[in-house]
Amino acid sequence: MTTTKSAEVVALEYTTVKVPYEVLNKKFRQAQKIIDREISQLSNQITNIMRLPSPELQRQAMPAFKEKLTSFRKRYADCLTKEGGYADKCLQRLQHLSDYTTNSDPKLEAIWRKKRLDKILVDYFLRNSHYETALEMVKSGGIEDIVDTELFISGRDIENSLGAHNVEPCLQWCHENRSRLKKTRSTLEFNLHTQCFIEKIRSKDYMGAIQYAQRFLVESEGMSKEKLQETMVLLAFKPSTECEKYKALFSEDRWQELVLEFRASNYELHHLHSDSLLSTVLQSGLSAIKTHQCYSSEKSGDCPVCNEPLNSLATPLPFSHCTQSRLICRISGQPMNEHNAPMMLPNGNVYGEKALTEMMASDGIVTCPRTNEKFWLDQAQKVYVM
């Protein structure tokens, strides 16, 4: 049981710990840069004080140094507080997962599964911009410690700024994550600068566009020679051009493309899947029980895939791979086995022995539910499957 639960946790709860760990890693690196820079400045300031020609001048320089040192201590304490918060969050989530894998109480397990379902739904709502609904569910379900609302809400603010044709917040985000974006070969920052270049052309600021390209595009790591040439050719076209290749670059739809690219980059940096966990789990479940009978004229009323809307949702999914077949009674939905023998009526239809016995009339006659034909129960023959 523990092994099964552990496998389940690995499959479904990967991001539960990975996301706060990635944020903690980011905060640690940022704090390290701040500390290194501050220590370097303090060292230089001490050196400059020591070089002053007289003790009086050195004493006069000490208040400024003391103020700088106090500021450094505050920033250092702030960095430690932020790191400690995310470290505590990692520990809380590890304990949350441990409670499930080591617990054997059915009631507590049901409560844990309810929390996971709420978490999956909140993730879906956040990904689809239903923020108020998600936050209300987080509050009512008491799952504040196991969801990543801050990540999605901060991402929402950047997406809204891009929707308002403002690239500054997104460029700041790219600057903060430049080394990690470089590892993933992201072109987001280059595309943002390209959009700024296009907007300057749109406003007929051609000299400003050239200067901007020289500063941000020519030396861009994500820029190939061909892409640079394609972008610079825009200077020769008007936004109203009918040339399809350059008309697309001037299109307002590029802003929405930037929103989607930022969202994908944000998910990739925090090891979030592009699809919601709800979508993944639902598709896996539907594919596991989907058979060819679900799309035939003989559908089962008890099969989820045989009924709408799941039948339509499962259409593009692969059929389940069954190494062993099971016979299910069409009347009762129960398996037909040695305890419920399959019985074939004279018309060739097969049902479970228990179902036929229960529906038998007082005179020993049973009615086939598919053809409405009537037969004596003793006419049914037991079926043997090799």
Side-chain angles (χ1 to χ4, degrees):
M1 186 64 175
T2 303
T3 303
T4 303
K5 286 185 175 181
S6 299
E8 182 181 340
V9 165
V10 171
L12 299 179
E13 302 291 342
Y14 173 76
T15 59
T16 300
V17 177
K18 189 64 176 177
V19 171
Y21 170 77
E22 287 298 325
V23 177
L24 174 61
N25 189 27
K26 175 183 173 182
K27 296 294 182 184
F28 171 78
R29 294 180 182 278
Q30 289 177 343
Q32 189 66 43
K33 290 180 181 178
I34 291 173
I35 292 171
D36 290 344
R37 184 173 63 249
E38 293 286 344
I39 290 178
S40 176
Q41 292 175 357
L42 287 170
S43 298
N44 291 335
Q45 195 168 355
I46 292 174
T47 302
N48 293 333
I49 292 174
M50 296 299 294
R51 289 176 178 174
L52 292 174
S54 67
E56 181 62 28
L57 291 176
Q58 292 177 353
R59 282 194 296 270
Q60 293 176 2
M62 288 305 295
F65 175 75
K66 182 178 180 181
E67 182 180 351
K68 180 72 174 178
L69 185 60
T70 302
S71 175
F72 167 68
R73 290 180 62 183
K74 290 181 178 179
R75 296 193 68 179
Y76 179 69
D78 183 55
C79 290
L80 283 180
T81 301
K82 291 181 179 179
E83 290 181 32
Y86 281 100
D88 290 341
K89 185 171 289 189
C90 289
L91 290 175
Q92 289 170 353
R93 297 193 181 188
L94 287 171
Q95 183 60 48
H96 169 71
L97 299 180
S98 177
D99 290 343
Y100 176 61
T101 55
T102 59
N103 178 49
S104 58
D105 188 338
K107 292 183 179 179
L108 294 178
E109 185 174 322
I111 294 174
W112 194 95
R113 288 181 177 274
K114 176 63 168 60
K115 284 187 176 182
R116 180 166 67 185
L117 176 59
D118 289 344
K119 176 179 176 291
I120 291 174
L121 292 174
V122 166
D123 174 75
Y124 177 80
F125 289 141
L126 289 171
R127 287 171 179 266
N128 289 274
S129 303
H130 302 301
Y131 298 102
E132 293 182 3
T133 303
L135 293 176
E136 185 63 30
M137 177 169 281
V138 169
K139 183 178 179 180
S140 62
I143 56 174
E144 294 87 348
D145 295 334
I146 59 173
V147 293
D148 302 295
T149 53
E150 303 92 343
L151 173 64
F152 288 96
I153 291 176
S154 61
R156 174 194 62 180
D157 296 337
I158 295 177
E159 290 179 12
N160 289 341
S161 67
L162 288 174
H165 297 190
N166 178 16
V167 301
E168 291 305 320
C170 195
L171 283 174
Q172 178 62 30
W173 182 87
C174 290
H175 176 73
E176 294 173 357
N177 299 279
R178 179 165 295 168
S179 60
R180 299 168 70 196
L181 289 172
K182 184 178 179 180
K183 291 180 180 179
T184 61
R185 298 184 179 181
S186 172
T187 60
L188 176 59
E189 186 174 4
F190 161 70
N191 289 332
L192 289 169
H193 286 307
T194 300
Q195 190 62 36
C196 291
F197 173 77
I198 292 172
E199 293 305 316
K200 289 185 178 296
I201 295 176
R202 198 191 306 276
S203 62
K204 299 182 180 180
D205 181 12
Y206 299 108
M207 185 56 65
I210 293 173
Q211 293 174 349
Y212 191 90
Q214 290 174 336
R215 181 180 178 185
F216 294 107
L217 296 182
V218 174
E219 301 298 330
S220 176
E221 295 181 359
M223 170 75 81
S224 64
K225 182 179 179 180
E226 294 75 13
K227 193 68 176 178
L228 177 60
Q229 293 173 341
E230 179 183 304
T231 303
M232 296 305 296
V233 168
L234 290 173
L235 290 166
F237 289 86
K238 295 182 179 180
S240 58
T241 180
E242 293 301 321
C243 180
E244 289 298 329
K245 183 176 182 179
Y246 299 103
K247 182 179 180 180
L249 292 174
F250 280 116
S251 173
E252 293 289 336
D253 293 339
R254 277 182 55 86
W255 287 103
Q256 183 59 31
E257 293 174 4
L258 289 174
V259 170
L260 296 177
E261 185 175 2
F262 161 73
R263 187 180 299 171
S265 298
N266 193 24
Y267 288 171
E268 185 175 9
L269 254 60
H270 293 89
H271 294 265
L272 287 171
H273 300 294
S274 57
D275 294 326
S276 69
L277 186 57
L278 176 64
S279 174
T280 302
V281 171
L282 183 60
Q283 291 183 55
S284 300
L286 291 176
S287 181
I289 61 176
K290 176 183 175 183
T291 65
H292 292 280
Q293 184 178 345
C294 297
Y295 295 88
S296 67
S297 58
E298 300 181 357
K299 297 181 180 180
S300 171
D302 297 319
C303 173
V305 183
C306 288
N307 297 277
E308 294 293 346
L310 298 181
N311 186 268
S312 298
L313 291 174
T315 300
L317 301 176
F319 290 96
S320 61
H321 177 66
C322 300
T323 57
Q324 293 182 344
S325 299
R326 291 193 306 165
L327 298 178
I328 304 297
C329 176
R330 185 178 181 84
I331 300 174
S332 65
Q334 297 178 351
M336 291 186 287
N337 48 36
E338 65 274 15
H339 305 295
N340 183 30
M343 306 294 292
M344 184 179 68
L345 296 176
N347 61 1
N349 291 327
V350 179
Y351 304 100
E353 184 178 14
K354 292 182 179 179
L356 291 177
T357 303
E358 290 176 359
M359 69 180 296
M360 179 183 64
S362 58
D363 56 359
I365 293 178
V366 295
T367 302
C368 177
R370 300 172 69 181
T371 64
N372 290 325
E373 295 178 273
K374 297 183 182 296
F375 303 98
W376 297 102
L377 180 59
D378 56 11
Q379 290 181 278
Q381 298 181 346
K382 184 176 294 188
V383 176
Y384 296 91
V385 180
M386 302 300 292

